[in-house]
């Protein structure tokens, strides 16, 4: 479904049974950030419901041997019929710099457009400067830091792009 | 929009600006369960995105003075066109036993049916026996405890009802 990935990688839609496999790579990919509490935080941000009910706009990239290489969890806004939202994206650090994240976002943009969406929103944490630079390179516009955006102490930077 | 609530309560759809108000009542309503870590867990389960992108199937109940009395966050499955999902429900403990939760679920069922949905799913934690009894009384069928359903150590009981 995506033909511009590096050799040895293929993409498909996420499925329910991918949930434990994706959670299992997060600690390694995030460098164990914030230890066990960080691990629980990441699991709570990615409950199984995304792998059950938003698979049509969510993608998994695998190596030829089936190992998880990257994923994107996104959905179509129910409230705003012209908007789609990217909730969580991960790329194996060993693959950074090869354009895998860019390919995933562009595939999501194409899916969003096919459902009539004209804007895509996402957020990241103020500490994640690599993510902010990535989104800016992709063409997103940043909001600046919004204190307590997702709750007390959960500051976020919001990004928007027009398709 | 809901006419069978106890006197002094009114319901409307959730809105973006309700997010901090709802998060602010969770600790009191959950009795401070698990302290600060529990507070963060609850915030991570209710990111602002639900108050932005799933408002059409999410409800807030307020007292006449505007204080938050109850809420239900739910959505229509993108993957399964006949399914809707209830993600998070809270009722002020001072109002327990007055049927507010039942009214919220029935309002959600009506919204789901109006979008052609025939099944509603939700989950709860094995420790929350009050929630399990509530869902059983409403007519939901339980799955039994599913270990690591939402990630390592995050066991869940899954519930389903046919509309």
């Amino acid at each position: 479904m995506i033909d511009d990935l590096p050799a040895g990688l293929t993409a498909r839609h996420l499925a329910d049974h991918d949930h434990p496999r994706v959670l299992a790579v997060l600690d390694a990919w995030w460098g164990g950030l914030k230890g066990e509490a960080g691990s629980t935080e990441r699991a709570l941000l990615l409950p199984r419901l995304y792998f059950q009910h938003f698979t049509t706009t969510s993608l998994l990239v695998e190596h030829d041997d089936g190992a998880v290489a990257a994923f994107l969890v996104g959905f179509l806004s129910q409230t705003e019929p012209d908007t789609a939202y990217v909730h969580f994206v991960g790329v194996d650090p060993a693959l950074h710099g090869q354009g895998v994240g860019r390919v995933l976002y562009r595939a999501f943009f194409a899916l969003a457009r096919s459902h009539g969406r004209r804007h895509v929103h996402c957020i990241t944490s103020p500490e994640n400067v690599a993510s902010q630079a990535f989104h800016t390179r992709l063409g997103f516009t940043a909001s600046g830091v919004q204190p307590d955006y997702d709750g007390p102490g959960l500051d976020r930077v919001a990004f928007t792009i027009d398709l």
Side-chain angles (χ1 to χ4, degrees), chain A residues 97-114:
Chain A
Q98 297 186 39
V100 176
R102 176 177 292 262
V103 169
L104 275 179
Y105 268 82
R106 288 189 173 162
F108 179 79
F109 294 163
L111 286 168
R113 270 193 297 263
S114 77

Side-chain angles (χ1 to χ4, degrees), chain A residues 147-163:
Chain A
D148 301 330
Y149 179 95
D150 258 340
L154 299 173
D155 302 349
R156 298 288 186 258
V157 178
F159 290 91
T160 305
I161 193 170
D162 295 330
L163 300 181

Side-chain angles (χ1 to χ4, degrees), chain A residues 123-129 131-132 155-157:
Chain A
I123 57 170
T124 190
S125 58
E127 300 79 24
N128 199 340
V129 290
S131 169
Q132 290 169 53
D155 302 349
R156 298 288 186 258
V157 178

Side-chain angles (χ1 to χ4, degrees), chain A residues 63-94:
Chain A
H63 293 277
D64 284 345
D65 66 1
V68 176
F71 66 93
L72 182 152
V73 172
F75 57 78
L76 308 171
S77 175
Q78 260 184 220
T79 302
E80 300 175 31
D82 60 353
T83 297
Y85 187 92
V86 176
H87 172 53
F88 208 116
V89 180
V91 177
D92 184 343

